[in-house]
Amino acid sequence: MLIRYGYEIALTCPQPTPLVCLLAVHEDRAADLRTPETFFTTPAGLANSTYLDLYGNRCRRLTAPAGDLTIWGDATIADSGLPDRVLPEAREVPVIDLPDHCLVYLMGSRYCETDRLSQTAWDLFGAVAPGWGRVQAICDYVNGHIQFDYMQARATRTAFEAWQERIGVCRDFAHLAVTFCRCLNIPARYVNGHLGDIGVPVVDPMDFSAWMEVWLDGAWHTFDPRNNKPRIGRIVVARGRDATDVPLINSFGPHVLKSFRVWTYEVAE
């Protein structure tokens, strides 16, 4: 199947302001693009460049002029049309046997305070059989524990605060599940990307989504504590330890978000 995805974001800056944007499809999906990603700005012609960060994410640098700026991107990507894989027999890997690149995803980070939730994680899930089932038990718990509410979104809410307050948005679900996994010595990383309404009831307005990937049996596997069921058509934009590593827009100076629009939908072959 083919999926068209994109965004339109309008900002206002009081002065020229450097930006780093993580809005491009991740490098491991670049080969699936059927139309190249386009990137435009209004005003037009702003100099920009891209680079890969420490986590392999494609980042774009530019300087917003004083006043209004609109950034716009769009592309079409090929997808298998299959839902997320479910592998109930996948096993946890002992820490001593983990690849080096997994170790950073066992440690606490800005929004994932393993030190504050370690005992809670073991109390809740320590008796659950290790493996896929234990990660799914974490997702089931987080899905039932947190109430989704856009109006209660808070950029500074941590996993521990989400657990205490029992409210949040998809990033809070992901942060709490990632933290519980790490507390149990299961590598977990935060993922930001596009997730359309393919095969499920339509949700409007559309937004970027957050979920997690967990290392089991020698590979990364997708889990989504917010939706908590296999979905079709995930498009990864960025991965990192938590939301700190994958902001859609990182501005080195003040800005005001004026408008934000995202689209993800199936198109004809």
Side-chain angles (χ1 to χ4, degrees), residues 3-8 23-25 33-40 60 71-77 194 261-265 267:
I3 300 173
R4 184 175 179 179
Y5 67 92
Y7 57 86
E8 182 182 49
L23 293 163
V25 68
L33 290 172
R34 292 299 175 264
T35 63
E37 283 195 331
T38 53
F39 177 80
F40 299 105
R60 187 178 299 275
I71 56 178
W72 187 92
D74 185 75
T76 300
I77 195 168
H194 295 273
R261 186 168 67 94
V262 178
W263 53 90
T264 311
Y265 56 90
V267 294

Side-chain angles (χ1 to χ4, degrees), residues 23 42 61 84-85 99 115 120 127 153 169 171 198 207 217 240 249 264:
L23 293 163
T42 304
R61 297 181 65 177
D84 303 323
R85 292 191 306 165
D115 55 339
T120 300
V169 293
R171 62 176 265 158
I198 299 171
D207 198 354
D217 251 350
I249 297 176
T264 311

Side-chain angles (χ1 to χ4, degrees):
M1 68 187 305
L2 296 180
I3 300 173
R4 184 175 179 179
Y5 67 92
Y7 57 86
E8 182 182 49
I9 304 172
L11 312 171
T12 298
C13 299
Q15 60 196 30
T17 303
L19 306 177
V20 174
C21 305
L22 279 76
L23 293 163
V25 68
H26 197 273
E27 292 298 292
D28 64 10
R29 292 297 305 275
D32 296 328
L33 290 172
R34 292 299 175 264
T35 63
E37 283 195 331
T38 53
F39 177 80
F40 299 105
T41 64
T42 304
L46 296 182
N48 67 91
S49 62
T50 66
Y51 68 94
L52 295 180
D53 69 9
L54 296 174
Y55 302 97
N57 304 313
R58 175 65 61 182
C59 306
R60 187 178 299 275
R61 297 181 65 177
L62 68 155
T63 298
D68 293 341
L69 169 68
T70 299
I71 56 178
W72 187 92
D74 185 75
T76 300
I77 195 168
D79 190 83
S80 69
L82 300 175
D84 303 323
R85 292 191 306 165
V86 177
L87 300 172
E89 303 305 315
R91 300 164 298 176
E92 292 179 24
V93 178
V95 173
I96 194 172
D97 296 324
L98 287 172
D100 294 343
H101 68 81
C102 286
L103 297 180
V104 68
Y105 298 111
L106 288 178
M107 301 175 187
S109 54
R110 165 68 178 87
Y111 291 106
C112 299
E113 313 105 310
T114 52
D115 55 339
R116 304 188 75 180
L117 284 167
S118 180
Q119 189 59 55
T120 300
W122 284 101
D123 290 345
L124 289 171
F125 310 109
V128 179
W132 187 282
R134 179 148 67 173
V135 178
Q136 186 56 56
I138 290 171
C139 291
D140 293 343
Y141 173 86
V142 172
N143 181 266
H145 186 79
I146 298 179
Q147 177 185 343
F148 186 88
D149 189 344
Y150 265 125
M151 302 307 295
Q152 297 295 323
R154 189 172 76 243
T156 59
R157 182 182 287 120
T158 68
F160 181 75
E161 290 168 341
W163 178 70
Q164 284 189 315
E165 297 169 18
R166 305 190 63 167
I167 202 162
V169 293
C170 56
R171 62 176 265 158
D172 301 306
F173 286 75
H175 282 151
L176 183 55
V178 163
T179 305
F180 281 148
C181 286
R182 292 179 186 172
C183 290
L184 298 168
N185 298 325
I186 308 169
R189 61 190 185 185
Y190 180 92
V191 185
N192 184 52
H194 295 273
L195 179 60
D197 300 321
I198 299 171
V200 298
V202 173
V203 176
D204 193 48
M206 204 165 281
D207 198 354
F208 283 92
S209 295
W211 58 90
M212 69 174 181
E213 293 174 346
V214 176
W215 185 266
L216 296 170
D217 251 350
W220 292 105
H221 300 276
T222 296
F223 287 85
D224 186 345
R226 159 68 178 100
N227 295 291
N228 205 29
K229 61 181 179 181
R231 293 285 296 271
I232 296 169
R234 294 185 195 273
I235 303 171
V236 173
V237 169
R239 300 183 176 98
R241 295 167 300 173
D242 58 32
T244 303
D245 294 329
V246 295
L248 298 174
I249 297 176
N250 197 349
S251 68
F252 298 88
H255 76 268
V256 175
L257 179 65
K258 291 186 63 179
S259 65
F260 181 88
R261 186 168 67 94
V262 178
W263 53 90
T264 311
Y265 56 90
E266 185 180 1
V267 294
E269 294 280 349

